[in-house]
Amino acid sequence: MAAAEVTSSPKTKGAWDVNRIRADFPVLHQTVNRKPLIYLDNGASSQVPQVVIDRGSAYLQQEHSNIHRGVHYLSQKATTAYEGAREKVRRFINARDAKECIFVRGTTEGINLVMYGYGRKFVGAGDEVIISAMEHHANIVPWQMLCEEKGARLRVIPINDAGELLLDDYEALLNERTKLVAVMHVSNALGTINPVKAMIETAHKYGVPVLIDGAQSVPHMVIDVQDLDCDFFAFSGHKMFAPTGSGVLYGKAEILEAMNPFQGGGDMIKNVTFEKTTYADLPNKLEAGTPAIASQIGLGAAIDYLSTIDRMEAAAHEEELLRYATERMSGIEGVRIVGTARKKASVLSFVIDDIHPHDIGTILDQEGVAIRAGHHCAQPVMQRFNVPATARASFAFYNTKEEVDVLVKTVERVIEIFS
Ligand SMILES: Cc1ncc(COP(=O)(O)O)c(C=O)c1O
């Protein structure tokens, strides 16, 4: 099926028809440990609709070839599909130009690209990079590596007990040595939605560019990079109903132009001699070697899929699931919710007195319920809340209140077992 032909559930106006949406996702219709699968690990990776699977297999069956290099039919077809996916991404996030959308393997690679291409060129000894206390390791470790290498300083915006950024402290950290602010849009460990638009405006007052880690926001909200006015925005396809290996680093053209390439190799050059290499124009300059062609075409198909649903209704459904799950879980004695920000999206992290989250996860799995237990690649968040780990349920628009009921009932059973 050609990507442009992707059709699915027509836009659901008024009420969210969750059963019709669920029919689009084959993986949801199976049993695990003889129980119907209840998939509440969407923050780690979301499921893939049939139309995206079909698009991937059509590519592999009829179009597979390397891109940008061949004059032959298949190469041109693959190139058209790959570049078509880039244009879909452009529209999806409202970038000015498709060349501002660099294909990467995911958020981690996107942030590392900025660290290598921008950070190593523009951050020097005594300079500062600001991140926040709730970041995923993907938005901590690259900046630590950079600061170590350059003799620069990592500054951290603190958070309160609800898991919200302290914005006065943030502004106080900005100064003439600040070279970059890198913050997450939505926290994978706490669910907090950060006020990134206002934070970007504040940083720009000081002439500081801002990178937004959009891994957890893109699946749940409509993103407009021009409206946000962010300088970089990174996200992963596999968290937004596309295959693994797909992802995007958006950057404003002028800043991407000024950056050094991340990797050297094929496809990113204009001309190579042993004396000197000149680089290709954007986006190729930042995409060395053969990319994940099938995955990025799959990302295009996932964007097509999302255009067939009413995303406002999807977000409202997820919000109601989170509200319902929060209310029910808060009512269980011994359960403590970690992350109680006023604005949250789709993540419910919790701990139970004297029961390790891995035990909670294992018992839930026996009932077919998939959640995540661990530090969620956010160890500083665990340290801030004084817990070794949390159990985390994370919702997508295909989850139901009945699934939340099973989660709650099973958590009650976990407490009984351990009491
Ligand atoms: C907020 C956030 N940032 C970055 C990442 C890393 O994403 P990936 O592993 O797809 O590169 C994740 C993954 O969980 C995340 O939740």
Side-chain angles (χ1 to χ4, degrees):
M1 184 189 289
E5 293 165 29
V6 167
T7 53
S8 183
S9 318
K11 281 192 200 295
T12 46
K13 271 276 165 237
W16 184 249
D17 189 345
V18 72
N19 287 325
R20 193 154 74 186
I21 291 293
R22 288 176 71 80
D24 295 336
F25 290 82
V27 80
L28 298 177
H29 308 283
Q30 62 178 297
T31 53
V32 168
N33 294 326
R34 294 185 303 283
K35 304 282 167 43
L37 169 67
I38 295 179
Y39 189 77
L40 302 179
D41 194 18
N42 297 285
S45 211
S46 54
Q47 297 299 345
V48 178
Q50 185 66 50
V51 285
V52 174
I53 299 167
D54 290 345
R55 182 66 191 94
S57 75
Y59 167 77
L60 292 171
Q61 286 178 35
Q62 293 150 27
E63 296 164 61
H64 174 62
S65 178
N66 212 325
I67 54 166
H68 296 157
R69 293 157 201 210
V71 290
H72 62 80
Y73 174 82
L74 278 188
S75 179
Q76 287 178 16
K77 214 162 160 111
T79 303
T80 302
Y82 182 80
E83 292 304 331
R86 197 191 306 278
E87 174 55 24
K88 287 171 194 186
V89 168
R90 185 201 68 73
R91 265 186 273 127
F92 182 63
I93 60 171
N94 194 32
R96 279 174 207 83
D97 197 307
K99 72 180 180 185
E100 298 180 310
C101 303
I102 310 299
F103 279 145
V104 289
R105 273 193 304 127
T107 310
T108 304
E109 190 172 82
I111 295 171
N112 275 276
L113 196 166
V114 177
M115 189 278 263
Y116 278 96
Y118 173 86
R120 291 184 93 195
K121 185 166 178 185
F122 295 110
V123 176
D127 287 339
E128 298 183 354
V129 174
I130 297 177
I131 60 170
S132 88
M134 67 173 77
E135 297 309 313
H136 186 282
H137 296 164
N139 202 27
I140 301 174
V141 183
W143 306 118
Q144 254 171 351
M145 290 161 65
L146 178 73
C147 289
E148 226 165 85
E149 178 187 325
K150 297 287 183 178
R153 185 166 174 212
L154 194 63
R155 310 297 306 267
V156 182
I157 312 163
I159 55 178
N160 63 20
D161 291 341
E164 294 165 321
L165 295 178
L166 299 181
L167 295 175
D168 290 344
D169 295 49
Y170 163 57
E171 183 148 13
L173 287 174
L174 285 157
N175 63 59
E176 68 286 352
R177 293 181 300 277
T178 314
K179 285 292 181 294
L180 185 76
V181 171
V183 287
M184 63 193 346
H185 199 171
V186 171
S187 161
N188 62 308
L190 303 167
T192 312
I193 301 175
N194 289 322
V196 289
K197 189 173 173 185
M199 293 176 75
I200 292 163
E201 214 178 300
T202 307
H204 285 174
K205 277 198 297 187
Y206 294 80
V208 178
V210 181
L211 176 148
I212 302 299
D213 171 351
Q216 297 292 340
S217 60
V218 168
H220 305 294
M221 48 185 86
V222 173
I223 300 298
D224 181 333
V225 290
Q226 290 192 64
D227 179 56
L228 287 175
D229 199 25
C230 51
D231 301 275
F232 299 106
F233 190 99
F235 61 98
S236 305
H238 71 96
K239 294 183 196 291
M240 52 161 289
F241 320 107
T244 51
S246 63
V248 176
L249 173 74
Y250 158 82
K252 285 180 181 166
E254 58 276 17
I255 198 162
L256 293 176
E257 306 273 13
M259 277 163 55
N260 283 335
F262 176 32
Q263 295 179 317
D267 229 25
M268 52 75 75
I269 55 94
K270 249 186 199 134
N271 193 49
V272 179
T273 66
F274 286 119
E275 287 69 42
K276 187 170 172 58
T277 290
T278 51
Y279 303 129
D281 295 329
L282 292 175
N284 303 46
K285 177 179 112 172
L286 298 173
E287 289 181 17
T290 302
I293 305 167
S295 294
Q296 302 293 15
I297 292 172
L299 175 62
I303 289 171
D304 283 342
Y305 175 76
L306 288 173
S307 76
T308 67
I309 67 171
D310 185 325
R311 295 204 69 202
M312 294 305 162
E313 287 293 336
H317 176 75
E318 289 176 356
E319 220 170 279
E320 175 55 16
L321 281 178
L322 182 64
R323 188 205 61 73
Y324 180 66
T326 305
E327 181 186 293
R328 294 225 46 206
M329 292 290 283
S330 312
I332 306 175
E333 210 183 310
V335 169
R336 176 161 69 94
I337 291 171
V338 180
T340 50
R342 280 157 292 179
K343 289 196 169 163
K344 282 184 66 174
S346 286
V347 167
L348 187 70
S349 261
F350 60 96
V351 289
I352 305 175
D353 297 336
D354 302 324
I355 306 177
H356 196 281
H358 283 142
D359 293 327
I360 304 172
T362 304
I363 295 173
L364 281 165
D365 181 57
Q366 285 162 9
E367 294 300 314
V369 184
I371 60 145
R372 181 134 299 228
H375 54 61
H376 316 296
C377 297
Q379 285 183 343
V381 175
M382 302 298 116
Q383 289 149 18
R384 170 66 179 76
F385 286 91
N386 211 15
V387 291
T390 73
R392 180 189 74 182
S394 51
F395 305 105
F397 51 61
Y398 43 62
N399 290 124
T400 67
K401 280 189 169 174
E402 291 72 28
E403 291 180 320
V404 172
D405 289 336
V406 177
L407 169 74
V408 170
K409 211 172 82 198
T410 313
V411 166
E412 285 168 340
R413 252 202 63 220
V414 172
I415 294 174
E416 261 171 50
I417 292 169
F418 280 85
S419 64

